[in-house]
Amino acid sequence: ELKRRRTGLAYNEKLTKHFSLWNPDFTEIPKRIEKPYERCQQYKLLERCEPVQSRNATEEEMELLHSKNHIQILKSSITMTEEELKELSQKSDYIYFHNDSYASACLALGTSIQLVDDIIHQKVLNGFAIIRPPGHHASRDQFNGYCYFNNAAVAAQNALTKHQMKRILIVDWDVHHGQGIQRFFYDDPRVLYFSIHRYEHGHEWPNLRESDYDYIGRGEGQGYNINVPLNVCGCTNSDYLFIFFNILLPIAYQFDPELIIVSAGFDCALGCPEGEMEVTPACFAHFINLLSPLAGGKLALLLEGGYNLDSLSESVALSVKALLGDVCPVIHPTNKPKDSVIESVLNVIKVLRLKWSCLQYQPLLNPGQSSIKTLLPSVSNLNSIFQSPNEENYPLIQECFNTSPDAEEKFGENIARLNTIIQTMKLRKTNYKLAIACNENQSGRPKHEDIYDKLKQYGLWNPCYMFLGGNSSERELTNIVDRVFKDEAQSAITLVSKSGEHEESSITDINSISIFTIVKCCKQQYNTNRILIVDWTGESSCCKSKEWFVDKESILYISLNWSKDVGQGASCSSKTVEKNGFNINIHWKTGDIENGDLIAAFYQLVLPVAYEFSPDLVIISASFNQVNKKEVEYSPSAPCFGHVLQLLRGLADGRLIMAIQCDSNSEIISECVASCVSVLLDNPCTKLGTLVPSQRGIESICQTADELKPYWNSMNYREAIPE
Ligand code: Q9C
Ligand code: ZN
């Protein structure tokens, strides 16, 4: 029985009381929560969210990670005079104290814990806490960088201690390194801390040696602390998505978290003076979409930094929308990540690939092949090369300000760009999440009745927009395209099977004909520029349609078929990559693939290329005939298809049309269809357990990726970067 998806939202006006009495340069101001909340209101998101009860943290909760002394100092500031407050502030880096600091910090911490608890108790699926002061720089005994209590860390520790959680992923996309979180869990494999931060080889605040990529955790915790240092400013959506696809998603799928906490700082967003990065507000929705299949969708976002009120507010509102399950706004096609970011990613992979078997893709990591300058020497034993950070004494890197002379000008440009983006943002809205075309057979009974029964059994039938037209006739397929392009339905499914007019055709032909008809209609009726076709018909690739799609560069065709006879059929091309990279066939070595392989193919190949292509429509040609078949040794499971659909939903404003071949009736086919329908209706994905690609899978993916290098920027990193 499916529960309604809910998103929690936490906010409390009392959190605006704390502010700097004397230093207007300290941009951590009350408006930082007022404005984002207001923006959520403008988007009418408040009424769609479940309010989370804000509350004070108890002393016991604070003491989970902070010392009594630390708490006492903060408490003592309640009654201090302004002079005393100033004096106390001086003892910490980027900290001010106010008589309301303790109250605000308590409330922010308690509210963070409450949100995570509500998610664990399934009161809500996911949620956002619009809170301040932020937390990720605070350590056991240190106030630091506007932070007093470490909201994310204490909420995670509480989940470990009180709820016996075993694996929590903390993703920290605040532009600063959350050294506080890192220190708390440095030895603890139960908490995987993943941070992307501005580093500039140590010249950016907090100027710590420990923020570099080689600080990977210690003892049992080795491999569970991941720093992705950004050594240049101006990192964009492309750079961040590159990091998601190549490090975060592989590791997250292997780690298999039970819960994800995001230290959601928006100082990496376009227009923020602290970060000088260029992530656009809509991209945060994509981050959330990419993480949402994990941990059964249990995602808690806690506000950290973000100092441009416009980009902060827009980013928060679009994040909340993404948590609610709304489609991700279209972002610009990605381009080549910066050389410096490629270098950092390869360095991270280098130090982690022994620990994480999902990171086996980079051919240039073989000794001698790389021209990456700062890459560490190849090692067989990680312990030998990293000194453990000294607990008391974290080495500091000399601060130096090297803001480039044209930074001011660039900043003006970014602000102008941000305003244009916010003002011209188009958000797609549809009446229905999903349209399903169904049909009756000659005797007046619905075709595919077994599948519909399964949908009814799971409560997936009523929320769908059903209409007649499930056969593959041109008129009926046009009808489906209309539903999607007229924004009546976000996405659509058609069940394709042999009918009178197709009696002679083979199964794959029928799906090809349907796909071809859909494409033709999109082009003629809706002037669709770019269409992504993902083909997992299984048995053999959609060869006919490949030949039809001569119209190159407007159709990107990717086949992921895994049966043993792929490439052997007379009409099937055995080439992996054709037509300037617009025809991609992943040839699985043995024909058998598992969940880990299918998911890896998505984060390594399909998603990077698709985000670079930036389609207006995604078409999926699917059949589930190969799933759990006796002759097939391995096959993806039903929930796994839900995951890849969720990943693809981020594209094309959620315009997704799926043609599923259903000629035979079987329980497993119904299960697969139900899993897809469920995800397209916004239900959370089912957890898949720990996933790693097989050796066979890695080989197949690498071969394809190598062949794609000349055509796709996002694959180009596989080549050594120029000196
Ligand atoms: N350019 C948070 O974002 N400013 N804290 C450093 C160097 C300190 C940031 C200035 C920023 C503290 C939660
Ligand atoms: Zn920050």
Side-chain angles (χ1 to χ4, degrees):
E1 192 54 25
L2 282 159
K3 283 199 191 146
R4 201 164 64 82
R5 176 191 177 119
R6 290 163 195 267
T7 293
L9 189 72
Y11 179 80
N12 189 321
E13 273 173 18
K14 287 185 192 149
L15 295 170
T16 60
K17 288 191 177 169
H18 145 94
F19 64 94
S20 173
L21 290 162
W22 57 83
N23 193 344
D25 291 343
F26 279 8
T27 48
E28 209 289 277
I29 53 173
K31 280 210 160 32
R32 290 188 57 255
I33 57 170
E34 288 170 340
K35 286 283 175 189
Y37 189 69
E38 208 179 287
R39 194 69 181 137
C40 289
Q41 200 161 18
Q42 286 165 1
Y43 275 123
K44 302 201 175 5
L45 304 177
L46 304 185
E47 48 266 49
R48 296 175 58 199
C49 291
E50 210 62 39
V52 171
Q53 191 60 52
S54 51
R55 65 161 175 92
N56 291 319
T58 63
E59 298 248 340
E60 196 186 334
E61 286 166 339
M62 296 171 198
E63 283 171 21
L64 280 170
L65 293 177
H66 292 286
S67 70
K68 280 198 159 77
N69 183 44
H70 181 85
I71 301 164
Q72 199 45 51
I73 293 172
L74 184 53
K75 224 182 210 174
S76 71
S77 70
I78 299 174
T79 53
M80 284 182 180
T81 64
E82 186 167 336
E83 275 320 300
E84 288 168 329
L85 290 170
K86 259 189 198 163
E87 204 185 301
L88 180 61
S89 305
Q90 244 103 72
K91 293 182 185 158
S92 302
D93 195 16
Y94 281 96
I95 279 288
Y96 58 84
F97 288 92
H98 179 278
N99 294 140
D100 279 309
S101 297
Y102 177 76
S104 296
C106 272
L107 189 52
L109 178 60
T111 304
S112 303
I113 297 170
Q114 189 62 43
L115 171 62
V116 171
D117 275 1
D118 284 359
I119 290 172
I120 293 171
H121 292 133
Q122 299 184 35
K123 278 197 195 159
V124 292
L125 171 66
N126 56 28
F128 199 120
I130 305 180
I131 46 165
R132 64 183 284 275
H136 71 153
H137 296 304
S139 49
R140 183 173 171 77
D141 269 307
Q142 265 178 28
F143 307 101
N144 182 269
Y146 309 145
C147 302
Y148 305 81
F149 293 137
N150 201 313
N151 305 319
V154 176
Q157 185 62 49
N158 189 58
L160 296 175
T161 315
K162 210 170 82 196
H163 306 290
Q164 288 81 45
M165 288 235 146
K166 288 181 192 68
R167 291 178 314 281
I168 300 172
L169 169 63
I170 301 181
V171 178
D172 185 343
W173 68 54
D174 182 286
V175 84
H176 304 98
H177 181 227
Q179 83 277 32
I181 305 181
Q182 164 164 318
R183 290 170 193 178
F184 285 127
F185 301 112
Y186 207 65
D187 303 273
D188 195 336
R190 294 173 301 172
V191 177
L192 170 49
Y193 176 64
F194 183 98
S195 173
I196 306 173
H197 47 267
R198 179 174 171 186
Y199 186 58
E200 297 180 78
H201 298 290
H203 294 305
E204 172 57 29
W205 190 87
N207 314 94
L208 296 165
R209 175 67 184 85
E210 68 182 293
S211 308
D212 213 348
Y213 65 88
D214 53 335
Y215 279 70
I216 59 167
R218 179 177 45 207
E220 292 278 293
Q222 194 176 65
Y224 296 89
N225 189 86
I226 302 177
N227 288 324
V228 186
L230 303 175
N231 290 316
V232 290
C233 291
C235 292
T236 62
N237 296 352
S238 304
D239 297 304
Y240 274 77
L241 287 171
F242 180 71
I243 294 163
F244 267 64
F245 295 148
N246 288 288
I247 315 176
L248 180 53
L249 291 187
I251 291 179
Y253 266 104
Q254 181 167 359
F255 182 60
D256 180 33
E258 298 165 300
L259 166 74
I260 301 177
I261 296 175
V262 180
S263 265
F266 298 93
D267 35 18
C268 58
L270 181 65
C272 181
E274 274 283 350
E276 296 181 64
M277 298 299 177
E278 297 175 24
V279 177
T280 64
C283 200
F284 296 103
H286 290 264
F287 295 169
I288 290 165
N289 191 68
L290 292 168
L291 291 173
S292 67
L294 294 149
K298 293 193 174 72
L299 212 62
L301 270 71
L302 310 178
L303 183 63
E304 299 278 0
Y307 307 95
N308 172 314
L309 294 176
D310 295 323
S311 76
L312 171 65
S313 308
E314 198 64 22
S315 302
V316 169
L318 294 182
S319 297
V320 173
K321 265 174 80 60
L323 291 173
L324 282 161
D326 290 358
V327 286
C328 299
V330 173
I331 51 172
H332 264 280
T334 54
N335 44 39
K336 192 172 193 292
K338 296 186 194 328
D339 287 347
S340 167
V341 174
I342 296 175
E343 185 183 65
S344 290
V345 165
L346 293 176
N347 276 327
V348 171
I349 290 172
K350 181 77 174 179
V351 295
L352 289 174
R353 73 199 304 255
L354 285 176
K355 206 80 192 178
W356 295 96
S357 54
C358 54
L359 301 175
Q360 305 292 316
Y361 298 96
Q362 277 58 40
L364 50 74
L365 288 172
N366 293 333
Q369 275 194 327
S370 170
S371 66
I372 308 278
K373 273 178 280 180
T374 58
L375 214 53
L376 288 172
S378 187
V379 280
S380 52
N381 177 7
L382 292 178
N383 291 311
S384 64
I385 54 165
F386 304 120
Q387 341 100 302
S388 298
N390 181 326
E391 295 218 16
E392 303 307 315
N393 177 21
Y394 297 96
L396 257 176
I397 287 164
Q398 193 60 50
E399 196 163 354
C400 94
F401 297 101
N402 55 353
T403 318
S404 60
D406 57 13
E408 209 124 299
E409 193 178 311
K410 176 80 184 154
F411 192 64
E413 275 171 33
N414 281 351
I415 297 287
R417 228 181 97 206
L418 173 72
N419 289 332
T420 317
I421 289 176
I422 292 177
Q423 281 152 21
T424 58
M425 180 99 58
K426 282 204 203 81
L427 299 173
R428 183 172 179 234
K429 255 191 93 174
T430 54
N431 299 331
Y432 286 88
K433 287 284 172 185
L434 177 63
I436 299 186
C438 48
N439 222 329
E440 293 169 346
N441 60 21
Q442 281 90 338
S443 51
R445 300 193 52 76
K447 276 192 172 179
H448 313 298
E449 217 173 354
D450 48 330
I451 292 178
Y452 299 143
D453 284 345
K454 179 64 71 181
L455 297 182
K456 283 173 192 159
Q457 184 193 327
Y458 286 146
L460 298 168
W461 177 265
N462 285 331
C464 291
Y465 173 31
M466 296 289 173
F467 66 100
L468 285 178
N471 272 348
S472 25
S473 81
E474 180 147 354
R475 195 180 54 81
E476 288 158 347
L477 289 167
T478 305
N479 206 347
I480 289 167
V481 173
D482 286 344
R483 294 291 158 274
V484 170
F485 277 93
K486 293 192 168 140
D487 289 342
E488 283 167 42
Q490 193 174 299
S491 42
I493 287 185
T494 173
L495 303 177
V496 175
S497 60
K498 286 187 202 184
S499 64
E501 51 185 303
H502 300 303
E503 217 54 75
E504 301 302 305
S505 313
S506 75
I507 295 175
T508 42
D509 282 346
I510 304 222
N511 235 34
S512 297
I513 294 163
S514 309
I515 303 297
F516 182 65
T517 312
I518 293 170
V519 169
K520 208 173 67 181
C521 172
C522 293
K523 298 237 161 233
Q524 286 170 356
Q525 306 285 316
Y526 298 100
N527 274 324
T528 317
N529 281 324
R530 293 177 306 279
I531 300 176
L532 167 65
I533 302 174
V534 180
D535 181 353
W536 72 68
T537 36
E539 285 130 281
S540 73
S541 48
C542 192
C543 353
K544 275 278 168 51
S545 44
K546 269 194 286 181
E547 283 148 34
W548 289 329
F549 304 141
V550 283
D551 176 10
K552 75 165 195 260
E553 322 231 324
S554 79
I555 289 166
L556 170 59
Y557 174 89
I558 307 178
S559 125
L560 296 137
N561 295 307
W562 64 87
S563 89
K564 292 201 195 310
D565 56 326
V566 167
Q568 288 169 10
S571 58
C572 282
S573 159
S574 53
K575 283 238 190 73
T576 307
V577 173
E578 291 175 307
K579 294 187 184 151
N580 293 333
F582 283 81
N583 195 334
I584 303 171
N585 302 287
I586 304 173
H587 287 305
W588 302 102
K589 291 278 180 225
T590 65
D592 293 336
I593 65 167
E594 297 170 78
N595 288 352
D597 300 314
L598 187 64
I599 296 290
F602 271 78
Y603 57 61
Q604 281 290 318
L605 287 169
V606 181
L607 292 174
V609 172
Y611 269 86
E612 186 173 346
F613 179 62
S614 191
D616 305 312
L617 173 71
V618 177
I619 300 177
I620 295 163
S621 174
S623 94
F624 302 110
N625 297 337
Q626 298 291 309
V627 177
N628 284 4
K629 230 183 175 180
K630 277 203 203 66
E631 315 79 88
V632 179
E633 205 172 330
Y634 304 105
S635 74
S637 66
C640 188
F641 295 109
H643 278 244
V644 300
L645 271 190
Q646 180 63 37
L647 296 171
L648 287 171
R649 283 178 88 199
L651 297 154
D653 248 338
R655 285 190 187 86
L656 190 147
I657 297 178
M658 194 170 181
I660 307 176
Q661 303 175 175
C662 302
D663 275 291
S664 55
N665 295 347
S666 81
E667 178 68 14
I668 186 73
I669 291 178
S670 299
E671 282 290 339
C672 288
V673 176
S675 162
C676 293
V677 168
S678 172
V679 162
L680 293 177
L681 285 174
D682 267 353
N683 296 304
C685 294
T686 308
K687 277 174 96 267
L688 296 176
T690 176
L691 284 194
V692 278
S694 66
Q695 199 49 47
R696 309 179 308 275
I698 288 173
E699 283 169 31
S700 311
I701 290 168
C702 281
Q703 191 201 331
T704 315
D706 281 335
E707 288 191 39
L708 288 173
K709 267 194 302 200
Y711 308 113
W712 295 97
N713 281 320
S714 47
M715 292 291 130
N716 216 356
Y717 73 98
R718 300 176 65 78
E719 219 139 29
I721 59 165
E723 289 285 315

